[in-house]
Amino acid sequence: SRMNRTQPHRELYFNNYLIFVLTSLKSEDEPTRSLSGLILKNNVKAHYQNFPPLVADFIKRECLNNIGDPSPLIRATIGILITTIASKGELQTWPELLPQLCNLLNSEDYNTCEGSFGALQKICEDSSELLDSDALNRPLNIMIPKFLQFFKHCSPKIRSHAIACVNQFISSRAQALMDHIDTFIESLFALAGDEDCEVRKNVCRALVMLLEVRIDRLIPHMHSIIQYMLQRTQDPDENVSLEACEFWLTLAEQPVCKEALSGHLVQLIPILVNGMKYSEIDIILLKGDVEEEDDTVPDSEQDIKPRFHKSRTVTLQHEGGEGEEGEDHDDDDDDDDTLSDWNLRKCSAAALDVLANVFRDELLPHLLPLLKGLLFHPDWVVKESGILVLGAIAEGCMQGMVPYLPELMPHLIQCLCDKKALVRSIACWTLSRYAHWVVSQPPDSHLKPLMTELLKRILDGNKRVQEAACSAFATLEEEACTELVPYLSFILDTLVFAFGKYQHKNLLILYDAIGTLADSVGHHLNQPEYIEKLMPPLIAKWNELKDEDKDLFPLLECLSSVATALQSGFLPYCEPVYQRCVTLVQKTLAQAMMYSQQPDQYEAPDKDFMIVALDLLSGLAEGLGGHVDQLVSRSNIMTLLFQCMQDTMPEVRQSSFALLGDLTKACFPHVKPCIAEFMPILGTNLNPEFISVCNNATWAIGEICMQMGVEMQPYVSLVLNQLVEIINRPNTPKTLLENTAITIGRLGYVCPQEVAPMLQQFIRPWCTSLRNIRDNEEKDSAFRGICMMIGVNPGGVVQDFIFFCDAVASWVSPKDDLRDMFYKILHGFKDQVGEENWQQFSEQFPPQLKERLSACYGV
């Protein structure tokens, strides 16, 4: 055949030579032959499309002829090579592959059967979607029944391959498997007593997946499946017990869970609790029995997990408490990071946690008798598992645990001083799970002792304990908020001391604890003595880090919280911080530009640098207010912002619009000249596909309205239709609805003539989305807008007037002139319809609304 230019002559023979060494050079040792096959696999991955047809055919033929090599290593290598060729789009152009492999399964020779099954298993893993498509004429119709026959094979290795192959098609609900689902389940049951642990593991895995996909088929047998899984969760082989333990985690998410498990809790709970002990291997790896201080040992870089920056989203305050419930609590039960692999301990703890959320306090009768024995056990491993149990049930069983907490708290706080580091670290985590309760009690009873001990643990000699204590303290800060103000001096001394003590990984968590503290106590942090403690070490780190260093992310986030809290107190530090943020944005934009023009010459930039910098600039603008004016005037931030607002990455746009809104509030004269260019971009970003981008753009438009006043007129048409569409969309998140309503109200406030004609199209969702917002500036301006629009177009509100009444009643104390506006509209409507009609109309009001309106507005 014609030589392929991109592949020089010798390389063509080199691939032939590699397959020859793998399949035919029996004189070489196995590892060398296998290595030759793996090199060939890498060539296939990189250059297969350039292999001449003769070479490709020779390799494919040799693979199939030697799949039964006597050596398991060589068989496995050939299997890897086959699936690599197959996944290069060759399943379509190698039609004899699947039929031949399936035929070879019938071979009397064990090696041939096992080698073919090994290859098929890898193909099923790599190409499951393709196998279940019309592209290949649906080979599964033949393959699945074939695999099912081998569940009864005399070799455990073959049985295991057969189940593993079928398991690949459960989650995707492949039709060929659904047609044989009952046979499949019966065959699994037949293997319940299998001696081989690989087979048992695959049976457990199959049942766990079936629970999600075909629970209807398992329900008739649920009792015996649960009995089987109780046995397997105690299997001596950890791979089996872990797979089985997943069953409880999956079952807990199914509606039938409560009914199916009620009768078995008495057996299940002790098994899960028992699985929550550290294994002997864990203890060796975690040096749990060696008492040592390791906080002077630098971290190895691979210990440090990548972190994700959560971009800025603008939200509103609600009635009865701070922001949205449950938006920001990612409960990571990750108390052993260095073993970040999933293991039986974590799986058992996670299962107990979700079951506690299903059964609530009904779990406690099965747990409390065990707990006492665990928590006070002389063996630290058992005691540690008891503390983990207590933390795992905190969310689900909180109500039922309350009577026991007053006596448990002192014991847990005492465990913070245990001589075993692993007991100290788990005690930190468990205490953080009860932080909400601690804060609800008088501070001297638990908050003060807990805080005192946690702060000591932040300075523990063991890095794992430092980490657990820092995370726990951040949780406590979120719950305690301003309760911490009396102890600020003491807290800052500890956190600042930790700066000098911590190694790399824990420093990153320390930044978070400091940022959370600033968020929690707010302006109370703005005291000269606190600023003098906190700022020097933060600024020292800031100066130490290079612009390319990813450690800037958590530090920038932390400074953003600190700047917002300190307000004018941050002024002495703002100049270098501001300059650097602008530089980071500029550098990232420049690199993105170079990359887009010459992708082969330049690397793509890490845009997180730009996102975090934009967010810190937002924090500065919010904290410094008008003081940010000089900084903005001496920089090209508006030009940079114009580019960021058009970035391809949604998170960049999201942060740009947040900054635009904050700059609009802080120093509008610098924003105003750009409005004509910015408004069309804001309009195109009112796309609810990107929720957070849309939310921040909407909020920014509202802030711009308030500054522009009547000059907003030319831009109304760019945004109004999208806003009305969003407020009427089903399933729009609450935050976006609220911001959209505020912005529509503000547009109407500055341009009532332009917006009022559309009143009827948005008044109803507008009223319902703002009734739960607290009285504040944003709500005030929005309601003024609605009143002015009703003045222009009273007919637009008539059909939905009851909703308007309800929204008005949601105000606790509107300003006098706003109250007058409400009064006029309510009385105007009443006079318009007449006394009798008003009586009939107000009969529909819920009693509370009726009372409120007559008390406040005399209607």
Side-chain angles (χ1 to χ4, degrees):
S1 76
R2 219 176 110 267
M3 284 301 308
N4 195 319
R5 286 183 189 286
T6 53
Q7 196 130 20
H9 207 254
R10 60 176 188 282
E11 213 168 291
L12 181 157
Y13 289 116
F14 184 52
N15 287 324
N16 276 354
Y17 168 71
L18 289 171
I19 190 78
F20 171 73
V21 174
L22 172 66
T23 57
S24 312
L25 197 60
K26 313 274 191 213
S27 57
E28 272 301 331
D29 64 355
E30 290 175 11
T32 306
R33 288 171 59 200
S34 171
L35 183 61
S36 173
L38 294 173
I39 294 170
L40 176 55
K41 173 206 71 157
N42 288 336
N43 287 348
V44 167
K45 246 186 158 141
H47 307 294
Y48 189 74
Q49 66 284 4
N50 301 331
F51 281 25
L54 283 176
V55 176
D57 288 343
F58 178 61
I59 293 172
K60 293 193 313 201
R61 204 164 50 248
E62 282 297 290
C63 282
L64 283 173
N65 290 341
N66 291 280
I67 192 72
D69 193 284
S71 148
L73 178 64
I74 301 300
R75 292 201 296 272
T77 309
I78 294 175
I80 291 173
L81 187 53
I82 288 177
T83 189
T84 309
I85 295 173
S87 60
K88 278 292 182 185
E90 282 288 299
L91 265 178
Q92 283 99 317
T93 47
W94 190 359
E96 67 275 21
L97 171 65
L98 295 172
Q100 270 194 321
L101 286 176
C102 284
N103 260 342
L104 291 169
L105 295 182
N106 299 333
S107 165
E108 292 297 305
D109 173 46
Y110 168 79
N111 293 336
T112 304
C113 179
E114 196 280 325
S116 309
F117 238 137
L120 279 166
Q121 185 181 334
K122 294 184 179 85
I123 293 170
C124 290
E125 285 167 8
D126 294 344
S127 312
S128 63
E129 274 116 51
L130 189 58
L131 290 171
D132 189 28
S133 70
D134 285 327
L136 298 176
N137 229 338
R138 306 223 168 250
L140 287 187
N141 293 337
I142 297 158
M143 288 163 71
I144 295 238
K146 182 101 185 163
F147 295 154
L148 289 171
Q149 289 166 7
F150 283 87
F151 278 36
K152 299 188 174 65
H153 196 276
C154 59
S155 148
K157 190 94 174 84
I158 305 281
R159 294 198 296 275
S160 182
H161 278 312
I163 310 169
C165 284
V166 179
N167 282 357
Q168 294 305 319
F169 303 102
I170 300 176
S171 297
S172 61
R173 297 179 165 80
Q175 193 50 50
L177 176 54
M178 293 302 135
D179 294 343
H180 295 90
I181 195 77
D182 292 329
T183 318
F184 175 44
I185 291 173
E186 280 159 33
S187 313
L188 287 173
F189 290 168
L191 293 172
D194 206 287
E195 295 297 300
D196 182 79
C197 56
E198 202 52 32
V199 171
R200 292 200 303 265
K201 185 184 91 175
N202 282 327
V203 169
C204 289
R205 178 170 295 171
L207 289 169
V208 170
M209 292 193 287
L210 285 168
L211 204 50
E212 294 194 56
V213 174
R214 290 305 302 263
I215 193 165
D216 57 310
R217 281 291 185 264
L218 297 186
I219 285 176
H221 316 282
M222 199 51 100
H223 183 79
S224 33
I225 294 175
I226 287 174
Q227 288 305 325
Y228 175 68
M229 285 299 187
L230 288 167
Q231 291 307 303
R232 291 288 69 84
T233 308
Q234 304 170 79
D235 197 290
D237 182 301
E238 160 135 10
N239 291 318
V240 179
S241 56
L242 177 57
E243 210 54 67
C245 195
E246 295 278 355
F247 180 82
W248 314 112
L249 207 48
T250 307
L251 183 58
E253 285 160 7
Q254 303 296 328
V256 301
C257 174
K258 212 164 178 174
E259 189 188 342
L261 269 186
S262 289
H264 303 280
L265 289 179
V266 62
Q267 292 161 283
L268 174 59
I269 299 300
I271 295 173
L272 290 178
V273 167
N274 195 38
M276 287 164 74
K277 292 201 293 280
Y278 275 121
S279 68
E280 286 167 34
I281 301 282
D282 292 344
I283 293 170
I284 293 164
L285 288 175
L286 294 168
K287 304 191 173 74
D289 268 331
V290 194
E291 274 325 302
E292 56 150 29
E293 303 214 343
D294 59 0
D295 68 340
T296 52
V297 185
D299 295 325
S300 70
E301 285 310 303
Q302 66 265 31
D303 282 349
I304 297 170
K305 287 207 226 144
R307 3 178 359 282
F308 299 101
H309 171 67
K310 196 164 167 298
S311 306
R312 206 172 168 96
T313 310
V314 187
T315 54
L316 297 162
Q317 295 280 314
H318 289 88
E319 277 308 329
E322 299 302 309
E324 288 272 281
E325 237 327 276
E327 268 192 325
D328 216 17
H329 291 289
D330 25 13
D331 269 328
D332 40 5
D333 297 11
D334 222 355
D335 47 293
D336 4 81
D337 269 353
T338 31
L339 301 186
S340 58
D341 46 348
W342 192 232
N343 55 24
L344 183 62
R345 165 189 165 88
K346 291 189 172 180
C347 189
S348 305
L352 189 60
D353 183 356
V354 290
L355 288 171
N357 277 299
V358 172
F359 285 95
R360 301 283 165 184
D361 297 343
E362 291 168 42
L363 217 55
L364 292 177
H366 306 287
L367 259 175
L368 290 171
L370 295 171
L371 256 179
K372 204 149 183 114
L374 297 171
L375 288 171
F376 298 91
H377 201 282
D379 177 354
W380 74 267
V381 180
V382 179
K383 174 164 140 182
E384 193 279 343
S385 72
I387 301 172
L388 174 59
V389 168
L390 198 53
I393 61 169
E395 199 185 344
C397 304
M398 181 59 92
Q399 280 323 103
M401 284 307 295
V402 166
Y404 306 97
L405 292 178
E407 53 176 315
L408 276 175
M409 268 306 139
H411 177 62
L412 281 175
I413 291 173
Q414 208 181 336
C415 292
L416 288 173
C417 316
D418 197 275
K419 56 181 196 301
K420 294 287 178 194
L422 290 172
V423 174
R424 298 198 297 276
S425 63
I426 197 65
C428 290
W429 178 73
T430 292
L431 281 159
S432 76
R433 301 268 291 175
Y434 289 96
H436 187 74
W437 179 83
V438 169
V439 171
S440 72
Q441 303 298 301
D444 285 351
S445 53
H446 304 290
L447 178 61
K448 216 164 153 183
L450 171 58
M451 193 169 54
T452 312
E453 284 311 312
L454 260 187
L455 289 170
K456 288 184 196 158
R457 289 294 70 80
I458 286 179
L459 304 178
D460 198 285
N462 178 284
K463 290 197 278 199
R464 163 184 301 279
V465 180
Q466 294 172 355
E467 178 184 0
C470 242
S471 301
F473 195 70
T475 306
L476 185 62
E477 290 170 335
E478 285 179 347
E479 290 291 350
C481 292
T482 49
E483 295 277 335
L484 296 178
V485 172
Y487 316 107
L488 265 174
S489 184
F490 184 38
I491 294 171
L492 287 169
D493 285 338
T494 306
L495 297 179
V496 168
F497 190 80
F499 252 107
K501 188 174 165 72
Y502 276 13
Q503 297 298 336
H504 186 181
K505 179 183 174 189
N506 285 351
L507 258 182
L508 307 183
I509 300 167
L510 182 61
Y511 293 139
D512 180 54
I514 291 173
T516 307
L517 179 66
D519 293 338
S520 302
V521 300
H523 64 90
H524 297 284
L525 197 56
N526 189 5
Q527 297 293 333
E529 59 155 328
Y530 302 152
I531 297 175
E532 280 154 31
K533 287 181 203 275
L534 182 58
M535 290 309 297
L538 282 176
I539 294 296
K541 278 286 170 222
W542 170 263
N543 292 330
E544 202 178 293
L545 293 175
K546 306 251 179 307
D547 279 352
E548 297 71 48
D549 194 328
K550 288 201 157 93
D551 282 9
L552 273 175
F553 298 166
L555 179 53
L556 283 157
E557 280 178 45
C558 168
L559 278 170
S560 180
S561 295
V562 170
T564 308
L566 288 185
Q567 297 175 345
S568 60
F570 198 78
L571 271 175
Y573 309 95
C574 64
E575 183 108 25
V577 173
Y578 180 89
Q579 285 313 331
R580 184 167 197 178
C581 288
V582 172
T583 308
L584 284 170
V585 174
Q586 200 150 12
K587 278 189 177 176
T588 313
L589 284 172
Q591 200 182 335
M593 190 71 152
M594 295 192 299
Y595 172 72
S596 70
Q597 287 163 359
Q598 297 171 290
D600 41 349
Q601 304 284 312
Y602 294 98
E603 275 190 26
D606 181 344
K607 288 189 178 170
D608 276 351
F609 282 104
M610 176 155 73
I611 295 167
V612 182
L614 289 166
D615 285 348
L616 176 44
L617 287 169
S618 276
L620 284 176
E622 193 183 332
L624 298 173
H627 295 293
V628 84
D629 192 287
Q630 309 96 300
L631 297 171
V632 174
S633 63
R634 292 199 295 268
S635 70
N636 60 340
I637 185 67
M638 298 315 294
T639 317
L640 299 174
L641 198 49
F642 182 61
Q643 288 170 271
C644 293
M645 285 163 51
Q646 298 174 80
D647 198 90
T648 50
M649 187 174 174
E651 290 79 1
V652 175
R653 301 201 301 278
Q654 174 184 341
S655 292
S656 317
F657 295 135
L659 177 55
L660 176 61
D662 282 316
L663 290 174
T664 298
K665 286 173 82 166
C667 55
F668 189 64
H670 294 293
V671 179
K672 195 172 183 184
C674 315
I675 289 297
E677 282 184 298
F678 286 4
M679 282 309 298
I681 301 172
L682 284 163
T684 47
N685 277 282
L686 295 177
N687 170 6
E689 291 310 301
F690 301 102
I691 292 292
S692 300
V693 180
C694 182
N695 180 66
N696 289 2
T698 303
W699 173 74
I701 292 167
E703 290 300 337
I704 290 170
C705 286
M706 298 313 288
Q707 301 290 338
M708 290 283 283
V710 71
E711 294 177 64
M712 195 67 192
Q713 217 172 336
Y715 308 111
V716 174
S717 59
L718 290 173
V719 299
L720 183 58
N721 286 331
Q722 293 94 303
L723 292 170
V724 173
E725 202 174 313
I726 292 166
I727 204 167
N728 283 295
R729 250 176 109 244
N731 305 328
T732 305
K734 208 159 91 182
T735 304
L736 179 55
L737 279 179
E738 290 162 359
N739 274 317
T740 306
I742 296 277
T743 295
I744 291 175
R746 289 179 151 190
L747 264 178
Y749 178 60
V750 295
C751 303
Q753 297 294 339
E754 284 68 23
V755 186
M758 298 194 66
L759 198 51
Q760 202 180 337
Q761 292 172 49
F762 61 74
I763 184 71
R764 190 166 176 167
W766 191 94
C767 292
T768 46
S769 57
L770 289 187
R771 62 186 302 269
N772 297 322
I773 301 288
R774 285 198 200 166
D775 294 6
N776 63 20
E777 279 308 309
E778 298 184 319
K779 184 169 174 174
D780 179 272
S781 51
F783 269 85
R784 286 171 193 273
I786 275 292
C787 291
M788 293 173 70
M789 290 188 277
I790 291 173
V792 174
N793 175 18
V797 75
V798 169
Q799 282 173 319
D800 299 303
F801 198 69
I802 187 167
F803 290 93
F804 176 73
C805 295
D806 177 57
V808 166
S810 75
W811 278 87
V812 182
S813 45
K815 293 184 182 155
D816 290 344
D817 59 337
L818 181 60
R819 182 191 294 272
D820 288 344
M821 294 167 107
F822 293 157
Y823 184 92
K824 288 197 176 101
I825 292 172
L826 292 171
H827 279 273
F829 185 84
K830 186 178 167 178
D831 298 344
Q832 197 70 43
V833 297
E835 189 63 44
E836 198 178 326
N837 288 336
W838 177 261
Q839 283 312 318
Q840 279 180 323
F841 174 67
S842 60
E843 279 312 303
Q844 312 162 33
F845 290 1
Q848 219 183 340
L849 175 57
K850 227 172 168 166
E851 283 160 35
R852 195 97 193 232
L853 288 178
S854 89
C856 302
Y857 301 99
V859 292

